[in-house]
Amino acid sequence: MNKVTNKVLKALRNREEYAFDIVVEEYRELLYGIIYKLLLNKEDTEDVFIIVLQKIWDNADKIKADKEQFKNWIITIAYNRARNFLRDKQTENKVYFDNKELMIEEYKDANSILSSIYLADMQRFMSDEEYRILIYKDIKKMNFSEISKIMDISDKTVKTYYMHAKKIARKYFEGDL
Amino acid sequence: MKVKKIEEKIIESIDVNEVPSVEEIKNRMDFSKHPFKERETKETNVKRKMVFGCLVSSLCTLIICLVCMCVVINHNLGNSSHIEDVLSNDEINTLLLQFEDVNSKPIFYSNAESKYSIYVYECYNKEKNLKEYYYKINFTGQNSIKIYINGTIKLATEEENFGRLLSTEHDCNNQRIEFEVEYKGTKKYYCFTN
């Protein structure tokens, strides 16, 4: 399978078909997965998935020939489109995954987006408080003091929940859950 | 959290068979606003370079042909300058003193294969209001004889010896010249054809 390289991205910018094929083949599963994690519905996911790819193609002339930047860009588009779709459906930004509320926040970078999606999957293994604190601390980069004010609990309690959430995350990564 | 692991987890959590293929995606997308462009492959690149190369090569050939034509034309015209060289500057000046107009292009010259070469120059005598002719004969291997219209024969050497021009017949139309010259008691007849 051909890989996405800076040269391929330049060709995509030039709207060459072979470059489009390579890029779509490489990233389709990831983009589909991100969208599905938020929408949890196959039909909606497919619709938004095509919208995302259409947006990428229509703005191909703005592509920079940098693989990392390009990947961040397409992940952000996928996430934001899915988020907008949810908003338009008036779900009040609330999505439930295994009966746990999924926080659909506005993120500006791909790492935060991916982490938040990942966390949404991990959520079933931790309490609501642990999940929210993990989001506030690791994704939103808030300190314990700020989190304790938002959640109206003590600093010490915040730290306890956070440590426990990190343990679960470690186990999740290691495949022990 | 390692991003790579997160990506893998996201993909693992979906049924990849559900993800549309590239062809299915292209069938559902709209390419009317931004159609695909032809890939510049090595082949198209080579073709483009070949066409460019042919054009440059044709242009060079054309330029060379034009230059050659100019050289040939110039050479043909230059024959006159070559012929003009047959008349030395002194001779030209002498003629100019005698005549108003000296056509330095010969109106007659003999075949190059002949042992002799003769050049006939047309001059205009203002006094007589006549066209007259200046003849210059070179004999290969022999002294050059220059015959002037006034019948004076002068050898190319420094020795000033004069012969006598007995008669001349000059037929430019038939490209023929005849001379009879008497030199040191000897008569000689010359006939030149072009």
Side-chain angles (χ1 to χ4, degrees), chain A residues 15-18 20-21 24-25 28 37 42 46-47 53-54 57-58 71 111 114 118 173, chain B residues 1 3 5-7 9 13-14 18-20 22 25-26 28-31 34 36-37 39:
Chain A
R15 301 197 193 277
E16 291 177 39
E17 189 171 357
Y18 89 95
F20 177 83
D21 291 349
V24 169
E25 185 55 42
R28 66 188 177 101
K37 279 289 187 198
K42 190 190 160 201
E46 276 192 18
D47 290 343
L53 290 170
Q54 188 71 57
W57 178 249
D58 289 345
K71 193 174 170 183
N111 284 350
L114 290 172
Y118 189 91
F173 267 113
Chain B
M1 285 176 235
V3 174
K5 279 220 168 209
I6 295 171
E7 287 177 24
K9 285 281 184 189
S13 68
I14 58 168
E18 297 281 309
V19 181
V22 174
I25 290 165
K26 285 202 276 192
R28 288 186 62 181
M29 281 176 67
D30 176 16
F31 294 100
H34 300 290
F36 289 123
K37 282 198 183 137
R39 178 180 185 178

Side-chain angles (χ1 to χ4, degrees), chain A residues 80-96:
Chain A
N80 287 334
R81 282 286 159 172
R83 187 169 155 265
N84 292 344
F85 183 85
L86 283 172
R87 188 186 55 210
D88 292 346
K89 277 186 104 173
Q90 294 180 333
T91 58
E92 295 175 345
N93 282 359
K94 282 181 187 168
V95 174
Y96 291 89

Side-chain angles (χ1 to χ4, degrees), chain A:
Chain A
M1 188 181 80
N2 287 321
K3 284 284 179 188
V4 173
T5 59
N6 290 350
K7 191 179 171 187
V8 168
L9 291 176
K10 272 186 193 165
L12 182 66
R13 189 169 60 197
N14 201 34
R15 301 197 193 277
E16 291 177 39
E17 189 171 357
Y18 89 95
F20 177 83
D21 291 349
I22 291 171
V23 166
V24 169
E25 185 55 42
E26 179 147 333
Y27 294 118
R28 66 188 177 101
E29 287 171 356
L30 177 62
L31 294 177
Y32 188 92
I34 290 168
I35 298 164
Y36 184 76
K37 279 289 187 198
L38 293 169
L39 306 186
L40 301 174
N41 173 284
K42 190 190 160 201
E43 284 75 29
D44 291 343
T45 299
E46 276 192 18
D47 290 343
V48 174
F49 179 59
I50 296 298
I51 289 169
V52 165
L53 290 170
Q54 188 71 57
K55 185 169 167 74
I56 292 167
W57 178 249
D58 289 345
N59 290 285
D61 53 320
K62 296 178 186 117
I63 288 170
K64 288 178 185 159
D66 180 276
K67 192 176 172 181
E68 212 46 52
Q69 263 192 342
F70 176 75
K71 193 174 170 183
N72 287 344
W73 181 58
I74 61 174
I75 287 171
T76 310
I77 290 175
Y79 179 82
N80 287 334
R81 282 286 159 172
R83 187 169 155 265
N84 292 344
F85 183 85
L86 283 172
R87 188 186 55 210
D88 292 346
K89 277 186 104 173
Q90 294 180 333
T91 58
E92 295 175 345
N93 282 359
K94 282 181 187 168
V95 174
Y96 291 89
F97 181 75
D98 279 355
N99 295 319
K100 301 274 187 185
E101 186 186 329
L102 187 68
M103 289 170 67
I104 310 295
E105 303 286 339
E106 186 183 346
Y107 298 112
K108 291 208 168 106
D109 67 280
N111 284 350
S112 302
I113 289 168
L114 290 172
S115 299
S116 72
I117 291 170
Y118 189 91
L119 279 170
D121 194 40
M122 219 194 310
Q123 198 184 4
R124 50 203 162 114
F125 302 107
M126 55 183 78
S127 66
D128 287 343
E129 289 79 15
E130 285 161 350
Y131 174 70
R132 291 174 77 93
I133 288 166
L134 205 54
I135 293 276
Y136 287 138
K137 186 80 179 77
D138 285 1
I139 309 297
K140 295 205 159 204
K141 312 290 181 196
M142 293 167 77
N143 60 40
F144 290 122
S145 170
E146 288 167 329
I147 295 169
S148 89
K149 277 182 191 161
I150 289 171
M151 293 183 73
D152 198 24
I153 50 178
S154 67
D155 272 15
K156 196 176 171 184
T157 310
V158 171
K159 280 176 191 170
T160 307
Y161 278 135
Y162 179 70
M163 297 306 292
H164 193 247
K166 291 296 268 185
K167 258 189 199 171
I168 293 170
R170 212 167 16 251
K171 281 184 180 175
Y172 182 84
F173 267 113
E174 285 160 9
D176 293 338
L177 292 174

Side-chain angles (χ1 to χ4, degrees), chain B residues 38-132:
Chain B
E38 194 188 309
R39 178 180 185 178
E40 191 169 283
T41 60
K42 277 186 185 170
E43 285 165 3
T44 54
N45 208 18
V46 164
K47 274 184 195 170
R48 194 161 46 87
K49 283 180 181 173
M50 275 177 69
V51 167
F52 182 72
C54 281
L55 279 170
V56 169
S57 157
S58 301
L59 195 63
C60 288
T61 307
L62 185 65
I63 291 169
I64 289 167
C65 283
L66 285 169
V67 167
C68 286
M69 272 174 65
C70 288
V71 167
V72 168
I73 289 166
N74 199 41
H75 184 260
N76 285 336
L77 290 172
N79 273 338
S80 63
S81 66
H82 167 70
I83 291 165
E84 280 171 25
D85 289 340
V86 177
L87 287 176
S88 68
N89 284 338
D90 284 345
E91 286 166 330
I92 290 170
N93 290 336
T94 306
L95 284 175
L96 283 171
L97 285 173
Q98 286 180 281
F99 306 105
E100 187 176 272
D101 245 342
V102 175
N103 189 349
S104 58
K105 243 197 257 183
I107 56 172
F108 178 92
Y109 56 92
S110 67
N111 192 302
E113 287 173 359
S114 90
K115 279 196 283 186
Y116 317 108
S117 61
I118 177 168
Y119 299 94
V120 181
Y121 299 88
E122 197 175 81
C123 311
Y124 179 68
N125 190 327
K126 200 178 174 184
E127 282 180 18
K128 292 181 187 174
N129 196 26
L130 279 174
K131 260 190 209 172
E132 294 182 332

Side-chain angles (χ1 to χ4, degrees), chain B residues 172-185:
Chain B
C172 276
N173 290 330
N174 291 323
Q175 298 283 291
R176 186 175 57 83
I177 284 180
E178 293 174 10
F179 292 97
E180 194 172 20
V181 172
E182 187 184 2
Y183 178 61
K184 288 187 177 177

